[in-house]
Amino acid sequence: MANASKTNYPPKTRNLPMPAEAKQLYEVSEQSWKVLTEVTFPTAKTPEAIMMALDYCRTRKLDIFKKPVHVVPMWNAALGRSVETVWPSIMEIQTTASRTGVWAGMDRPVWGPDKTHTFSGRFKDDNEQWQETRVEVTFPEWVAVTVYRLVNGHRCAFTEEVYWLEAYSTAGGKYSQIPTAMWIKRPKGQLAKCGKAASLRTAFPEECGYAAEEMDGKSIDGIDALNDTTVINGQATRMTVNEVSEAIDLSLISPKVQKAVAELVRRTALAGAWKAAYDYAKNKFSGLDLTFAMAELDKASAADTSASVTDQPPPEPPVTPAVEALSQAREALSAARH
């Protein structure tokens, strides 16, 4: 921070003892614990914070070394001090949305005009000492990110506006107005993460929560106030057969299922028995696999009709099976997570 005191303090060391439970419950070795404390969570101040992260990742079946969560300090009014909490990263929230099988993409951020503001006051340094500083930051006034979700066969847009002055994290908790070093260094990048999280949360209210970037430096007692959000652009358009197919993440479909669906499409195209194929797929597959099978049958059916009828436009591809599949996929994936 500019103009901060030059007082010298002994260098901080990472000497967080490994609790016995880390090895007993999570099978963490001493070497792995060292990586967790020094690399994955270098700012964690207590072993308990890392244990909370381990518990979160085990529940969600996540690789903690990929850092899907962050240890975030938040002000606790009841205790009169900051406490360590664990919140998902923006990548973890995007992964959660993707796993539903109905996430249909996200647009690039739209930025508001740049503003320059001078912040002055106190902040806590790395040694938990209050320092006086003055810093000038140029930042976009707001950001808007649009997230798309399939809703009853429609591609619906969900957009949230997030304002920099309402979102930035402070270097010292409740009693500081000075932005953290990351928000000074990456004013657009940090705001973009908050914008993505807000729109993903609006599009997937049952699956997605707040991101670590939104909660850093905030007050635990003020979380309820953050729930006042509004969709400012809820547009819906009927998706084409190809758009439904492209919206499916093939990495979530096993090679065995992809091969089985390809063979079903091949045999059905030869026999022309499309209704029987749809019935067979609904009995054979479930969840996102069923969504994939229906989309592939829709594409093949439309292509077969177009090739056999040249004097009139091809009929609309079947919609009901795909809509049913999307609904079943969402329910199955939601049940699997819980």
Side-chain angles (χ1 to χ4, degrees):
M1 298 290 181
N3 300 330
S5 172
K6 300 298 183 180
T7 303
N8 292 321
Y9 294 94
K12 296 185 69 175
T13 59
R14 299 296 292 164
N15 186 26
L16 299 183
M18 183 174 76
E21 293 83 356
K23 185 175 183 179
Q24 295 170 357
L25 298 179
Y26 306 105
E27 300 181 349
V28 175
S29 67
E30 292 185 4
Q31 183 61 36
S32 294
W33 181 259
K34 184 176 181 180
V35 173
L36 288 174
T37 58
E38 296 184 0
V39 180
T40 311
F41 303 108
T43 61
K45 295 179 175 61
T46 64
E48 290 75 19
I50 298 178
M51 292 295 289
M52 285 192 295
L54 281 165
D55 187 59
Y56 179 99
C57 291
R58 184 177 69 170
T59 301
R60 293 277 290 122
K61 296 180 173 59
L62 300 170
D63 183 353
I64 193 170
F65 295 101
K66 292 183 179 179
K67 204 170 184 177
V69 297
H70 297 287
V71 175
V72 176
M74 296 187 67
W75 180 259
N76 186 313
L79 298 177
R81 60 179 174 84
S82 291
V83 297
E84 292 186 305
T85 61
V86 172
W87 294 87
S89 68
I90 183 60
M91 291 305 298
E92 156 63 355
I93 292 177
Q94 289 181 199
T95 298
T96 298
S98 177
R99 286 177 177 175
T100 65
V102 291
W103 184 24
M106 179 165 53
D107 288 343
R108 295 180 62 183
V110 176
W111 303 100
D114 281 350
K115 295 185 64 177
T116 298
H117 185 80
T118 299
F119 299 87
S120 60
R122 299 194 305 164
F123 75 98
K124 276 191 175 180
D125 63 17
D126 292 340
N127 293 286
E128 294 296 311
Q129 300 296 316
W130 285 103
Q131 306 288 349
E132 292 288 336
T133 190
R134 181 183 179 88
V135 61
E136 183 178 272
V137 185
T138 298
F139 53 85
E141 183 179 9
W142 53 265
V143 68
V145 177
T146 298
V147 169
Y148 296 94
R149 173 178 176 162
L150 303 180
V151 180
N152 294 329
H154 292 73
R155 189 176 190 235
C156 298
F158 299 83
T159 306
E160 282 288 341
E161 280 185 352
V162 177
Y163 289 81
W164 199 94
L165 286 174
E166 296 178 354
Y168 82 94
S169 298
T170 57
K174 182 178 180 180
Y175 297 111
S176 172
Q177 297 300 315
I178 306 300
T180 59
M182 188 61 72
W183 279 82
I184 294 173
K185 180 181 179 182
R186 302 182 69 251
K188 292 186 70 174
Q190 292 299 100
L191 186 62
K193 292 179 181 180
C194 294
K196 291 178 182 179
S199 292
L200 284 166
R201 189 166 53 252
T202 301
F204 299 89
E206 295 181 356
E207 294 84 5
C208 297
Y210 288 95
E213 290 79 7
E214 297 176 285
M215 307 312 296
D216 188 12
K218 302 298 189 299
S219 172
I220 291 177
D221 313 278
I223 291 179
D224 290 341
L226 296 175
N227 291 323
D228 184 20
T229 56
T230 305
V231 180
I232 63 171
N233 181 18
Q235 302 177 20
T237 56
R238 171 67 65 178
M239 294 191 74
T240 67
V241 170
N242 287 335
E243 286 175 329
V244 172
S245 180
E246 291 171 0
I248 298 173
D249 185 353
L250 291 181
S251 67
L252 301 177
I253 309 297
S254 71
K256 182 178 179 180
V257 170
Q258 293 186 43
K259 182 177 180 180
V261 171
E263 181 62 16
L264 173 62
V265 169
R266 186 186 71 82
R267 292 184 178 181
T268 303
L270 291 175
W274 296 105
K275 183 180 184 304
Y278 281 113
D279 292 339
Y280 173 82
K282 285 190 284 185
N283 291 324
K284 175 72 173 178
F285 306 107
S286 63
L288 189 57
D289 292 343
L290 179 57
T291 304
F292 171 70
M294 292 297 188
E296 292 300 296
L297 286 169
D298 281 352
K299 285 198 302 182
S301 175
D304 182 66
T305 302
S306 178
S308 60
V309 181
T310 59
D311 58 345
Q312 54 183 299
E316 288 292 322
V319 173
T320 302
V323 171
E324 292 177 358
L326 289 170
S327 177
Q328 292 176 20
R330 180 181 179 280
E331 294 173 0
L333 289 172
S334 179
R337 281 197 303 277
H338 299 291

